[in-house]
Amino acid sequence: MAPAEILSGKIVSGQVRDRLKQQVAEMAEKFPGFRPGLAILQVGNRDDSNLYINMKLKAAAEIGISANHIKLPNTATEADVLKCIASLNADPAVHGFIVQLPLDSDKPINTEKITNAVAPEKDVDGLSSINAGKLSRGDLGDCFIPCTPKGCMELIRQTGVQVAGKRAVVIGRSKIVGAPMHDLLLWNNATVTTCHSKTSTLAEEVGKADILVVAAGRAEMVKGEWIKPGAIVIDCGINHVPDSTKASGKRVVGDVAYTSAKEKASFITPVPGGVGPMTVAMLMQSTVESAQRFLEKFQPGKWTIQYNQLTLKMPVPSDIEISQSCVPKPIDQVAKEVGLFPDEVELYGQTKAKVQLSVLNRLKNQPDGKYVVVTGITPTPLGEGKSTTTVGLVQALGAHLHQNVFACVRQPSQGPTFGIKGGAAGGGYCQVVPMEEFNLHLTGDIHAITAANNLVAAAIDARIFHELTQSDQALYNRLVPSVNGVRKFSDIQIRRLQKLGINKTDPMALTKEEVNSFVRLDIDPGTITWQRVLDTNDRFLRKITIGQSPTEKGFTRTAQFDITVSSEIMAVLALADALDDMKKRFGRMVVASSKKGQPVTADDLGVTGALAVLMKDAVKPNLMQTLEGTPVFVHAGPFANIAHGNSSVLADKIALKLVGKDGFVVTEAGFGADIGMEKFFNIKCRYSGLRPHVVVLVATVRALKMHGGGPAVTAGVPLPKEYTEENLQLVAKGCSNLNKQIQNAQMFGVPVVVAVNAFKTDTKAELALVVQHAKEAGAFDAVECTHWAEGGKGALALARAVQRASQAPSNFRFLYNVELPVVDKIRLIAQQVYGARDIELLPEAQEKVALYTKQGFGNLPICMAKTHLSLSHDPEQKGAPTDFVLPIRDIRASVGAGFLYPLVGTMSTMPGLPTRPCFYDIDLDPVSGGVNGLF
C-alpha cells in the first residue's frame, strides 16, 4: 500500500485565509468602512498564550479583520473579567471574541462561568454551553463550532471522502476537541465511537475506524499497526519528547506514531503543520461568519418592525383617551426594530429613550433616505393639524405601505401645554404616545436649556457687579487664584488671552495693561441682549427690575423673562450637528457689547464648558413612537414666530441614516410656510447640508374661510356658523393664502403636495374646491386627508402622493446669498415670502445693522420674529396682503446659533395665560394615578 497522502494544515489554512480575505474585501465594498471585529481577552502573561495570541493577531491582520488584544493583569478578579466580557458583549464593533485559556490569575476564577458569560452570537471559540448544546442537538447552522474540530472537518473534506456512512472513532472527550468532534461527525452522518482513558479495547476500536481523530494528549499513543488500512488519520496532539539532535533538546510529536501510521493510512496530518494552523484559520472563519450574520441582522435600512393595529371608534374619543387606550411597544424594542444597538440607546423608562450621537459615525457611509418637510398655510389660533398630519403621514407610509419612515418633531413647551393650545403630540388617531409624557417634561431637555440659559444670565450680572466693586489686581487674583503657590490659566482663559492677542501662558508674565484687558469685560448694561427664561406663560415677567437687594450695592437694571424655547441655547441645540459643534456654538454666543462696542461672548464669561456639561444629555435626540408603532424622534423646540421653530439637525441626520436610501424622514416646521418653512430652508438646511425632496403643505377649510373674510376664530370660543356651514365663496376667496404659500414653497425649487386636513364640519364640495385650487396653483398634487379619525389609513392618499413627488425633479435653492447686506436679506424675505412692498427699519434696528456689520456678523442668515397669524406683521390682515410696509423695530444677534433675528411689529416672547388656561382640565386620576385632562 502506498504511504498516506499528507494533509497539510499550512496549505489548507492558507487557502481558507485567501478566501476569507476576499470575503472581507467584498464586505468593505458593499458596506464602506465596515470590518469584522475580533477581540481576544487575556488574563495574565503566560508565554504560550502570548505566542498563540500573536499568531491569531497576525492572521487577523492578513485577512483584514480588526483585532483587539485586551490584557488584564494576573491580579484580575472574576468580577473584573466578567465586567470586561460584558463590555465586549455590548460593543457592536466586536463580532467575535475569545477568552484565551488558561486564565493566568492569582485570584480564583471559574473558567466555565467565564466562557458562558460570552454572548453566544459572539462566541467564535464555540465554548459556551449554549453553543455546545446547539451542536449536540444538531443545530449546526445556528451555532459556533469549536475551532479545532471545525478545522479537523475542513481537513477531512479536503480528502474528498464522504463522511456519511463511515465509521469514525474519536479518542478524547474534552469540551474543546473530543466531545464537539464527536457531535460534528455524528451530525455529518458518520457512525461515531468516542474512546478515552478508560476504554479497554482501544486498539480494537481504532482498527474499525474509517476516520480517526486523536486528541488524547499522550505522545505517540496510537500505534501504526492499530490503524485500519486506508483510514483518514487526524492527529490533534502537541507533545514534546526528548531529542538530543535538536538544539532545544526536544521535538514536537503528535498523539499518533506518525512514521508507522502513514504506511497504513490513506491521509494523515503531520505534527506540527497539520491541525494547528487550521485552528487559527477556523477562528478567523468563525469571526467572518459572525460579522456576516451581524450585517444580515443589523443591515442599515433593513427593518423588521411590528406595527400596532388601531381600533377606531366613532365618534372619535378625546386625545388622551385614545393615547391611554394604546399599549406602546417597549422603547428598546422600537430601537432594535430600526437598527439601533443596545449601547446606542439610553432608556428613560419603558416608553422613551435617548439615542447616542455615535450612531452617526457608525452609519456615516450609509446613504440618506428621502427628506420631507411638513408646513402649513397661515393658521387660525386653533392650529390646522400639522403635527397630526406629520404623524398620520408616517403611520401611512410605515404601518400601511411598509416603508421605513421616521417622524422628527419638536418638543412642546410647557407654555402652550398649560396655556392656550394644549399638547403638541398630534391628535385623534395620529399621536406620539404616551402623549402625556410627550407633553410633560419628556426627558428634561427644556429644563436643561432653562438652567443653561439662566447660568449665562447670572454670569453676566455677576461679572458686571464684580468689575464695578474690585480693582484689576483683586479681579485677577480671584479669576486666576494661587493654588498651593501655583497659578494656572484654565483652557477657556487661554482662549480669551488669544482673542486679546496675548500669547502668554504664565499668569505671572502679564503686564498691568494685559491684566486690565484680561479681567475687564467692561460690559455696557444697555447692550445686554441675553434674557432670563422660564418655560411658563408668566406675563408679569415680561419686564422686571433686577438687583434691588441691598447686597447688590445699587446695581439695578431693567430686564425681562422670555419663554425658554426662544432661548439661543435652544436654537444652538437645534442647529448643532455634534456635541463639539454645540460647545463651539455656545462659546460664540454674544450676550452684550463692551463700552468700546466689542462683542462679549459666553466664552469671555468663562461659561462655555459649564453649558456643555448642562446640555450633554439634552443634545441626544429622544426616541418615542406613534399610535401605530412607527418611530419618532422628539428633539428641540417650537415657535417659528419667535425662534426658528424646527426640530434638530441631529435628529434628522440620524433618522435619514436609519431609514436607508429608500426610506422617508418626515420633519415638521413650525407655523405657516412663510416663517417655519422659510427658516427650515434658509437656516436649517443651510447649516445641515440636507436637501429636502418634498414639501407637504397642510390646509384646512376652516383656515381658508378665515382668510376669505370669515369672522375671528378664538380659542375656547365656539366657531361661528360661517365655519360650520358650507360657504364656497369664503373658501374660494381664502385660497389666496393657499396659493401664496404654495408659491413660497416652489420658490425653493421643491415639489409641493397639499394635504387638505378634513374636519367633520367640512363638506365634500368645500374640500374638492380646495384640492382644485391647490392643483391650479401649481401643487404637484393635493389630496383630502382623514387621518385624525382614521389614523394612517386616512393619510394613504397623501403618502402615495409624497412617494410620487419624492421621485420628481427637485432643484433646491436658497432664497438669498448670506453675503448680501443685512437689509437686503430682510427685504428679500419681506417682499418675496410675505408679499410686502418694502421694509422700514426703525432707528434701533438701523443702529443694530451698523453694529452687527461692524462686528462681523453681517453675513449670517436671517430669522424673522413675526406673527404667525398673518403673512404680514399685522395679525388682523388675512389672506395674501400686498402693498404693505414691514416695520423692523429691532434686530438681535444669535451668533452661536448662527443668525440675526429682526423683530417685526410688537411680538412678545413671553405669552400670557388666558382667562381659562388649559390646566383647568388637567389633573391626576384619583384611582390610577395617571394623567387626566385635555392636552
Side-chain angles (χ1 to χ4, degrees):
M1 182 175 174
E5 185 175 332
I6 307 302
L7 286 172
S8 172
K10 290 182 180 179
I11 294 174
V12 177
S13 67
Q15 295 169 351
V16 172
R17 291 185 191 192
D18 288 343
R19 183 174 71 247
L20 295 176
K21 190 174 182 180
Q22 179 63 31
Q23 290 175 359
V24 170
E26 289 171 358
M27 282 186 202
E29 185 176 347
K30 188 175 181 181
F31 303 99
F34 179 82
R35 290 179 71 187
L38 171 66
I40 303 171
L41 176 58
Q42 179 185 12
V43 179
N45 194 35
R46 284 175 58 117
D47 289 339
D48 55 349
S49 292
N50 292 333
L51 177 64
Y52 299 144
I53 290 170
N54 286 334
M55 290 167 56
K56 293 165 186 173
L57 295 175
K58 183 179 178 181
E62 176 191 332
I63 293 165
I65 293 171
S66 178
N68 184 22
H69 180 196
I70 301 101
K71 204 168 186 176
L72 298 180
N74 58 9
T75 56
T77 63
E78 185 174 272
D80 295 331
V81 181
L82 290 171
K83 182 179 179 181
C84 188
I85 290 173
S87 175
L88 293 169
N89 282 339
D91 188 347
V94 174
H95 308 109
F97 79 88
I98 65 170
V99 179
Q100 185 67 40
L101 300 176
L103 300 169
D104 179 25
S105 175
D106 297 340
K107 304 292 191 298
I109 298 179
N110 184 326
T111 299
E112 186 170 355
K113 185 176 182 180
I114 295 301
T115 54
N116 280 325
V118 177
E121 67 272 15
K122 295 187 178 186
D123 174 29
V124 287
D125 243 354
L127 299 182
S128 69
S129 296
I130 290 177
N131 276 318
K134 287 182 176 181
L135 174 58
S136 68
R137 206 168 53 194
D139 297 336
L140 304 189
D142 189 35
C143 72
F144 285 112
I145 298 162
C147 297
T148 298
K150 191 173 182 179
C152 293
M153 284 302 299
E154 185 63 32
L155 288 169
I156 293 169
R157 287 191 196 98
Q158 290 291 318
T159 68
V161 174
Q162 287 289 331
V163 174
K166 297 293 189 296
R167 283 183 172 273
V169 172
V170 178
I171 302 178
R173 52 182 172 178
S174 72
K175 295 178 182 179
I176 296 175
V177 183
M181 193 71 229
H182 173 280
D183 294 336
L184 200 51
L185 286 164
L186 180 66
W187 293 112
N188 276 274
N189 300 309
T191 301
V192 189
T193 301
T194 296
C195 299
H196 43 78
S197 58
K198 304 298 183 184
T199 303
S200 57
T201 57
L202 184 57
E204 181 182 335
E205 295 298 337
V206 168
K208 299 174 184 176
D210 300 310
I211 300 170
L212 177 65
V213 181
V214 187
R218 291 176 57 186
E220 300 182 323
M221 179 186 73
V222 175
K223 309 305 178 186
E225 57 267 24
W226 297 358
I227 294 170
K228 179 179 180 179
I232 299 170
V233 178
I234 307 295
D235 189 350
C236 302
I238 296 285
N239 308 283
H240 294 89
V241 297
D243 189 338
S244 58
T245 67
K246 302 290 184 182
S248 62
K250 56 186 179 182
R251 61 186 171 89
V252 176
V253 299
D255 292 351
V256 177
Y258 179 77
T259 303
S260 58
K262 73 177 181 179
E263 299 301 324
K264 298 284 290 291
S266 59
F267 295 90
I268 191 169
T269 57
V271 178
V275 174
M278 293 302 298
T279 300
V280 175
M282 292 301 104
L283 174 63
M284 300 301 122
Q285 182 170 301
S286 291
T287 301
V288 172
E289 288 173 1
S290 180
Q292 288 170 331
R293 293 177 190 175
F294 171 85
L295 287 174
E296 289 172 8
K297 187 177 181 181
F298 293 103
Q299 185 174 334
K302 186 179 179 181
W303 291 9
T304 303
I305 187 165
Q306 173 188 323
Y307 297 107
N308 295 335
Q309 188 75 34
L310 294 178
T311 303
L312 304 177
K313 293 182 180 180
M314 291 298 289
V316 177
S318 70
D319 290 350
I320 198 162
E321 285 180 82
I322 293 172
S323 174
Q324 292 181 344
S325 69
C326 165
V327 180
K329 296 178 289 187
I331 200 64
D332 56 342
Q333 178 185 331
V334 177
K336 185 177 181 181
E337 288 175 341
V338 301
L340 290 165
F341 298 156
D343 68 328
E344 293 171 340
V345 180
E346 297 175 9
L347 301 181
Y348 279 65
Q350 293 294 310
T351 55
K352 53 189 184 288
K354 280 198 166 288
V355 174
Q356 296 278 8
L357 305 188
S358 59
V359 68
L360 267 178
N361 186 58
R362 173 171 68 86
L363 299 176
K364 62 184 177 183
N365 294 310
Q366 302 305 322
D368 289 345
K370 303 289 187 180
Y371 197 29
V372 180
V373 60
V374 177
T375 184
I377 64 171
T378 303
T380 68
L382 307 178
E384 309 317 305
K386 281 197 319 300
S387 298
T388 305
T389 301
T390 299
V391 175
L393 175 56
V394 298
Q395 289 183 165
L397 284 166
H400 297 269
L401 298 181
H402 304 292
Q403 300 289 306
N404 292 352
V405 61
F406 243 103
C408 291
V409 299
R410 302 158 297 155
Q411 180 179 349
S413 163
Q414 183 179 298
T417 299
F418 285 118
I420 62 170
K421 187 175 181 292
Y429 287 103
C430 296
Q431 296 185 51
V432 180
V433 291
M435 65 96 82
E436 61 269 36
E437 292 188 27
F438 177 93
N439 286 313
L440 298 174
H441 307 294
L442 197 61
T443 57
D445 293 351
I446 291 180
H447 300 314
I449 292 165
T450 304
N453 183 98
N454 292 342
L455 176 65
V456 177
I460 294 168
D461 290 311
R463 187 59 175 262
I464 294 173
F465 173 81
H466 292 307
E467 288 186 25
L468 285 172
T469 57
Q470 295 179 47
S471 67
D472 288 357
Q473 193 58 50
L475 282 168
Y476 193 60
N477 291 343
R478 287 171 172 82
L479 287 169
V480 194
S482 174
V483 180
N484 297 324
V486 178
R487 284 189 175 190
K488 186 179 179 181
F489 290 123
S490 66
D491 290 343
I492 201 166
Q493 290 176 327
I494 293 288
R495 290 203 297 274
R496 172 153 173 79
L497 289 168
Q498 291 170 344
K499 179 179 176 180
L500 294 169
I502 302 171
N503 296 313
K504 296 178 180 179
T505 56
D506 181 2
M508 305 304 293
L510 269 62
T511 66
K512 285 186 177 180
E513 292 77 14
E514 289 170 340
V515 167
N516 175 268
S517 297
F518 174 74
V519 301
R520 300 226 171 252
L521 301 181
D522 204 21
I523 293 171
D524 179 354
T527 68
I528 295 172
T529 54
W530 195 272
Q531 308 298 345
R532 288 161 173 82
V533 298
L534 197 67
D535 195 37
T536 301
N537 293 1
D538 192 344
R539 66 189 309 132
F540 293 96
L541 294 176
R542 288 173 178 172
K543 191 69 71 175
I544 59 172
T545 302
I546 62 171
Q548 296 194 59
S549 167
T551 57
E552 309 319 309
K553 302 181 180 179
F555 171 61
T556 63
R557 69 178 181 90
T558 301
Q560 70 186 55
F561 270 81
D562 294 336
I563 198 160
T564 296
V565 291
S566 71
S567 167
E568 186 174 356
I569 302 279
M570 175 65 87
V572 168
L573 174 69
L575 293 172
D577 65 5
L579 180 60
D580 186 58
D581 180 48
M582 181 178 73
K583 183 178 174 183
K584 288 176 182 175
R585 287 174 179 267
F586 285 158
R588 294 197 299 264
M589 293 188 307
V590 174
V591 301
S593 294
S594 71
K595 291 173 183 175
K596 293 180 180 178
Q598 296 300 310
V600 177
T601 67
D603 230 28
D604 294 326
L605 285 168
V607 298
T608 305
L611 297 179
V613 168
L614 286 170
M615 294 292 294
K616 68 180 178 63
D617 293 316
V619 74
K620 304 165 191 171
N622 305 293
L623 180 65
M624 294 187 76
Q625 63 192 290
T626 69
L627 281 166
E628 295 191 52
T630 54
V632 180
F633 275 139
V634 186
H635 205 212
F639 292 148
N641 56 344
I642 55 174
H644 86 283
N646 281 268
S647 63
S648 76
V649 166
L650 280 167
D652 289 1
K653 284 191 170 184
I654 293 173
L656 283 164
K657 293 297 182 187
L658 288 170
V659 299
K661 66 182 180 66
D662 297 321
F664 289 83
V665 170
V666 181
T667 190
E668 179 188 352
F671 291 124
D674 54 307
I675 44 181
M677 183 198 71
E678 182 270 315
K679 294 170 184 179
F680 170 81
F681 288 141
N682 281 321
I683 299 175
K684 183 177 178 181
C685 290
R686 198 183 297 269
Y687 283 120
S688 70
L690 300 173
R691 298 294 178 261
H693 295 80
V694 185
V695 170
V696 172
L697 184 68
V698 179
T700 63
V701 168
R702 177 179 69 191
L704 293 173
K705 285 181 175 179
M706 178 191 72
H707 289 295
V713 175
T714 306
V717 177
L719 287 170
K721 66 181 178 62
E722 287 86 347
Y723 295 97
T724 58
E725 298 175 1
E726 182 174 281
N727 192 323
L728 296 177
Q729 186 178 356
L730 275 183
V731 174
K733 188 178 178 183
C735 280
S736 61
N737 187 274
L738 172 63
N739 296 352
K740 176 56 179 165
Q741 298 290 29
I742 291 172
Q743 292 169 17
N744 284 341
Q746 290 176 322
M747 193 183 304
F748 294 91
V750 184
V752 184
V753 175
V754 173
V756 186
N757 200 1
F759 293 176
K760 62 183 179 181
T761 55
D762 301 337
T763 68
K764 286 294 181 183
E766 288 173 331
L767 294 168
L769 182 60
V770 179
V771 168
Q772 177 188 337
H773 267 277
K775 291 179 178 178
E776 290 173 353
F780 177 89
D781 203 352
V783 296
E784 177 186 340
C785 302
T786 55
H787 44 271
W788 179 80
E790 297 183 291
K793 178 185 173 184
L796 273 171
L798 175 62
R800 293 189 176 105
V802 166
Q803 284 181 307
R804 293 192 301 273
S806 72
Q807 302 299 325
S810 178
N811 184 27
F812 176 74
R813 55 189 173 272
F814 297 116
L815 178 64
Y816 54 78
N817 187 324
V818 290
E819 302 296 325
L820 287 174
V822 173
V823 174
D824 290 355
K825 287 181 285 195
I826 297 172
R827 182 177 286 110
L828 270 171
I829 295 171
Q831 292 178 335
Q832 298 296 314
V833 180
Y834 306 156
R837 173 165 46 85
D838 204 352
I839 61 172
E840 177 190 10
L841 266 68
L842 301 183
E844 192 169 358
Q846 293 176 16
E847 291 173 8
K848 292 294 180 61
V849 169
L851 174 65
Y852 295 144
T853 302
K854 178 183 176 182
Q855 292 179 336
F857 306 140
N859 290 342
L860 292 175
I862 302 297
C863 181
M864 303 285 273
K866 179 188 79 73
T867 179
H868 62 291
L869 296 175
S870 171
L871 278 162
S872 75
H873 59 286
D874 180 359
E876 300 305 317
Q877 290 194 48
K878 305 301 182 182
T882 57
D883 201 36
F884 62 92
V885 175
L886 192 76
I888 310 298
R889 63 180 172 87
D890 194 6
I891 302 175
R892 295 178 185 166
S894 288
V895 179
F899 52 73
L900 301 178
Y901 61 103
L903 306 182
V904 181
T906 57
M907 291 284 296
S908 170
T909 61
M910 178 59 82
L913 291 171
T915 305
R916 192 182 192 282
C918 294
F919 56 64
Y920 274 72
D921 302 302
I922 299 171
D923 202 350
L924 289 176
D925 188 288
V927 178
S928 70
V931 177
N932 283 340
L934 303 174
F935 275 104

